[in-house]
Amino acid sequence: GGIAPHRVMPVTIDVGTNNESLLADEDYLGIPQKRVEGQEYFDLVDEFMAAVFERWPDVVVQFEDFESSKAMPLLEKYRHRYRCFNDDIQ
């Protein structure tokens, strides 16, 4: 059972970090900028979701490792619009 690995596409949305040691590390692989917060963060996820569902209308999006203060509002916002879930919360 389960989902066939060849039918999934992992995506990482890099919204920066507030970890000063990572920001100073020249080998840090993430975006070397302060973490996107507030409405700018939610707008970014909105843009991602709209683009993904426009391209793949039958897709299911799994949110993984989103902090609860962001995951809950996103799940509530998208619950009747997009097929998505967060197995850490649901």
Side-chain angles (χ1 to χ4, degrees):
I3 298 173
H6 70 281
R7 300 195 49 93
V8 301
M9 179 174 61
V11 175
T12 300
I13 301 174
D14 188 345
V15 294
T17 181
N18 291 333
N19 182 316
E20 293 298 331
S21 63
L22 291 176
L23 290 170
D25 184 347
E26 65 183 41
D27 294 324
Y28 176 56
L29 298 177
I31 295 175
Q33 67 185 30
K34 293 286 188 179
R35 183 181 303 264
V36 173
E37 297 286 349
Q39 190 58 48
E40 184 179 5
Y41 174 88
F42 289 103
D43 290 347
L44 176 72
V45 178
D46 283 347
E47 183 177 349
F48 169 80
M49 294 294 283
V52 166
F53 280 88
E54 182 177 321
R55 173 60 181 89
W56 296 287
D58 297 323
V59 73
V60 176
V61 170
Q62 175 186 354
F63 295 110
E64 184 66 34
D65 295 332
F66 278 53
E67 61 186 69
S68 294
S69 66
K70 294 185 173 83
M72 293 302 291
L74 289 170
L75 289 171
E76 183 62 32
K77 179 177 186 174
Y78 299 144
R79 68 184 301 163
H80 298 294
R81 189 180 330 169
Y82 301 122
R83 281 173 307 284
C84 62
F85 69 98
N86 184 324
D87 66 337
D88 297 326
I89 292 176
Q90 295 172 317

